[in-house]
Amino acid sequence: MTILNFETNPSRQHYDVVIIGGATSGASTAWHLTQDSDFKGSVLVIERDPSLKYSATQASNNCMRQQFATKINVEIAQYAADFVNKFGKIFGPDPCVPNPPIRQFGYLYLSDSPAFTEILQKDQKLQESCGAGTEIVSTADIKKQYPWFNVDDLDSGSLNTKNEGCFNALGMVEWMRQDSCENGVEYIHNEVVDMVVEHDYVRAITLRSGERIATDNVVNAAGTRAAQVASLAGIQVPVEARRRYTYIFEVDDPLPKDLPLTIDPSGVHFRSYGASDYLVGCPPLGPDTAVDVDDFSFAEDAWNKKILPIISHRIPQFKSARVTKSWMGHYEFNVFDHNAIVGPNEKIRNFYFIAGFSGHGSQQAPACGRGLSELIVHGKFKTLDLGVLSYLRIPEGRPLMERAVI
Ligand SMILES: Cc1cc2nc3c(=O)[nH]c(=O)nc-3n(C[C@H](O)[C@H](O)[C@H](O)COP(=O)(O)OP(=O)(O)OC[C@H]3O[C@@H](n4cnc5c(N)ncnc54)[C@H](O)[C@@H]3O)c2cc1C
């Protein structure tokens, strides 16, 4: 593999495709373009911060699941599992590709009411019809498989340990980036600050360094900044930054086997992290509202006020939990329907979106990047039809609501 050299200035004045944002979504779109034998064009990826320090990508909990409430999200997750399971084959032998590539501890949704159990049952039927291994489990089943749980206040659970767990999502971005560069894609360290729109087409973008670059297609893969980037072309997209906390903790007496990613009825979710420590995440304690894209402050003491009481109630062994690391990251939250937006804007036809993943973009990037590259090259989806995720559903007022957002 070559060492990536992030130049500031592009080598040409025109590119067939300009991608704004070089994290998960941008990297996947660029990489999938290089894999299409019908695509012979030039690609420029512009990333304002190649360290990705403040991207959603860097904050991700790196998990994948098939327990979604919409069919397309189950199908997207199944492609993700196939893709990740083939990492070694796709990106060549690399000491960083873990074996197995997915740590399959599974996801366990806990229900505390018959009403929520009914929702889990409905979702399980959908997931099963798509071939997912989800099962509804009784509290006795939960206790049998995971004896550490306090199930006294629970009604049931929904569990799948097949192709659900965590994977090296940041490694995937890096491997895609390296491979794309070897195939002619140019990545630069710069920022898009303006766009030239004429007759309903983006004709050029302007870089912070002053250059104007002509292009035939522009991709908005700007994550939490997707709305800012859209506004450069005079359009709006309902994506905003939402605060999410993550803590890594250790305990005196670790569990004897992996802890599935467990979604407590409170919304707090926790899982095994390393061999004997754990990860826990949660939304804000108060209203879940938009925050400034540059605000990474811990606004509240979520650990003591919410997380510690909840995890020690659910797993009494966790009373001794001590934080070893923590971070606050932003979901790129689609307030319209909590689902990804993949495809062209309805007014500016060469301005494509891959944005608004609302907390599941690490696992959705392979299928959505592939789909978007197909749209750019062929004008239609050739593999998985992502039409229901089109931008058009927003102006037409047709939300595809995903209720299984963690
Ligand atoms: C706490 C947390 C936990 C998560 N856990 C999971 C999980 O377990 N599983 C899962 O699937 N997903 C998870 N996600 C969601 C996932 O991380 C995101 O959906 C995904 O990383 C989005 O990637 P992206 O490339 O679209 O956006 P981002 O990662 O935000 O990247 C956008 C990039 O665009 C660049 N950019 C923005 N504007 C410009 C500009 N004008 N010019 C140039 N560059 C620009 C930014 O610098 C940034 O690097 C989680 C997210 C968070 C915050």
Side-chain angles (χ1 to χ4, degrees), residues 63-289:
C63 286
M64 63 159 70
R65 59 175 157 130
Q66 296 178 18
Q67 293 184 66
F68 280 98
T70 41
K71 184 168 180 269
I72 192 67
N73 284 337
V74 183
E75 292 169 340
I76 286 173
Q78 288 175 331
Y79 176 65
D82 276 357
F83 187 78
V84 170
N85 278 323
K86 288 189 201 132
F87 267 174
K89 201 168 155 210
I90 298 171
F91 297 113
D94 185 312
C96 297
V97 175
N99 194 11
I102 304 173
R103 186 173 169 190
Q104 300 193 31
F105 43 62
Y107 271 59
L108 173 62
Y109 281 80
L110 297 177
S111 161
D112 59 355
S113 69
F116 187 44
T117 297
E118 226 172 88
I119 291 174
L120 290 180
Q121 283 167 338
K122 199 169 157 217
D123 292 349
Q124 186 272 342
K125 284 204 172 65
L126 168 82
Q127 293 150 15
E128 192 180 39
S129 72
C130 299
T134 318
E135 287 177 9
I136 298 299
V137 285
S138 67
T139 52
D141 292 335
I142 297 172
K143 201 74 189 162
K144 197 166 158 205
Q145 291 195 57
Y146 308 106
W148 51 75
F149 278 120
N150 170 9
V151 296
D152 292 350
D153 56 347
L154 296 180
D155 190 64
S156 71
S158 171
L159 175 70
N160 180 16
T161 54
K162 197 172 154 226
N163 280 329
E164 295 200 0
C166 69
F167 69 107
N168 187 351
L170 211 51
M172 176 178 79
V173 176
E174 197 45 39
W175 299 322
M176 284 175 164
R177 201 149 75 159
Q178 290 184 5
D179 204 46
S180 299
C181 288
E182 285 184 356
N183 285 303
V185 171
E186 232 177 277
Y187 271 74
I188 59 164
H189 178 189
N190 216 313
E191 183 175 1
V192 174
V193 293
D194 204 2
M195 286 188 206
V196 179
V197 180
E198 285 169 3
H199 308 298
D200 298 336
Y201 278 84
V202 182
R203 303 291 179 192
I205 54 99
T206 308
L207 297 173
R208 179 161 298 286
S209 51
E211 293 101 321
R212 183 169 281 190
I213 307 298
T215 183
D216 301 329
N217 301 283
V218 177
V219 174
N220 183 342
T224 53
R225 292 175 193 267
Q228 280 181 4
V229 166
S231 71
L232 301 177
I235 59 172
Q236 292 182 328
V237 64
V239 176
E240 57 188 40
R242 295 274 183 100
R243 196 177 247 122
R244 289 295 180 273
Y245 303 109
T246 303
Y247 296 84
I248 307 302
F249 63 95
E250 53 188 21
V251 294
D252 287 345
D253 185 16
L255 304 172
K257 63 174 186 177
D258 272 358
L259 173 66
L261 195 148
T262 305
I263 301 102
D264 189 79
S266 61
V268 170
H269 46 278
F270 39 102
R271 67 165 171 90
S272 283
Y273 185 61
S276 58
D277 57 356
Y278 304 92
L279 176 151
V280 59
C282 77
L285 306 187
D288 185 17
T289 48

Side-chain angles (χ1 to χ4, degrees), residues 42 50 55 113 166 238 304 344:
S42 52
S55 62
S113 69
C166 69
N304 283 303

Side-chain angles (χ1 to χ4, degrees), residues 32 37 46 90 106 123 132 157 167 184 191 234 258 291 348 350 356-357 360 403:
H32 279 94
S37 55
I46 303 158
I90 298 171
D123 292 349
F167 69 107
E191 183 175 1
D258 272 358
V291 292
I348 305 178
N350 69 337
F357 287 97
H360 34 274
R403 68 169 161 265

